[in-house]
Amino acid sequence: MGTSTTRTRPGSTVPWSTAGRPAFPRRTADSDIDRARASQEDIDLARGVLMALYGIDADIAMRVLRRHSQYANIKLRALAQSVREAAPTAPGRPQHDLHQRVSAVLYPNRD
C-alpha cells in the first residue's frame, strides 16, 4: 500500500503547495521587517538623546517618548524621528540650544 507525500490543507482536498504562489507576501513581510528595524533605530537614538540630555536611564527615556507620543497623538516612531532630527548640532557650533530644540519637539504647542 503506497502512501502519498502530498499534504493537503486542513478540511480540503487541494494539495498544500507553495509552488506557483506569488512572492508578494514574502516581499511585504521583508519590507515590514526593514521598516520595523529602521523605526527601532530611530527610537533607540531618540532614547539616547533624552538619556544624555536629561540624565535618565533607558526605561525612563522610553516612558517619556511614549507619554509624549500619546499626549500629542502621533506615532512613536514619528516622534522619535523628530527628536533624532532635532538633536544634531553642526560641527564647531555650541550645543546650548539642544535642550530648546528637543523641547520644541516634545512640547510643540508651548510658547
Side-chain angles (χ1 to χ4, degrees):
M1 181 183 213
T3 59
S4 174
T5 58
T6 304
R7 292 180 23 202
T8 59
R9 292 186 177 134
S12 173
T13 58
V14 178
W16 188 301
S17 172
T18 57
R21 289 188 183 188
F24 177 74
R26 180 158 178 90
R27 282 194 309 265
T28 301
D30 288 345
S31 70
D32 288 347
I33 291 169
D34 291 342
R35 189 176 25 181
R37 284 184 180 143
S39 294
Q40 188 60 47
E41 183 177 333
D42 286 340
I43 291 168
D44 290 342
L45 290 171
R47 278 191 337 185
V49 168
L50 296 179
M51 290 167 61
L53 187 61
Y54 298 119
I56 56 179
D57 67 20
D59 291 334
I60 301 289
M62 190 65 196
R63 288 185 203 166
V64 168
L65 286 172
R66 273 196 213 115
R67 179 182 177 273
H68 286 281
S69 169
Q70 291 173 353
Y71 179 76
N73 196 26
I74 61 173
K75 297 278 187 183
L76 179 64
R77 69 176 170 258
L79 177 65
Q81 186 176 17
S82 295
V83 169
R84 183 185 57 84
E85 290 171 353
T89 303
R93 301 224 23 228
Q95 294 188 4
H96 68 277
D97 65 338
L98 175 60
H99 188 276
Q100 292 171 341
R101 292 192 314 258
V102 172
S103 291
V105 171
L106 295 176
Y107 304 99
N109 298 326
R110 196 174 179 188
D111 292 329

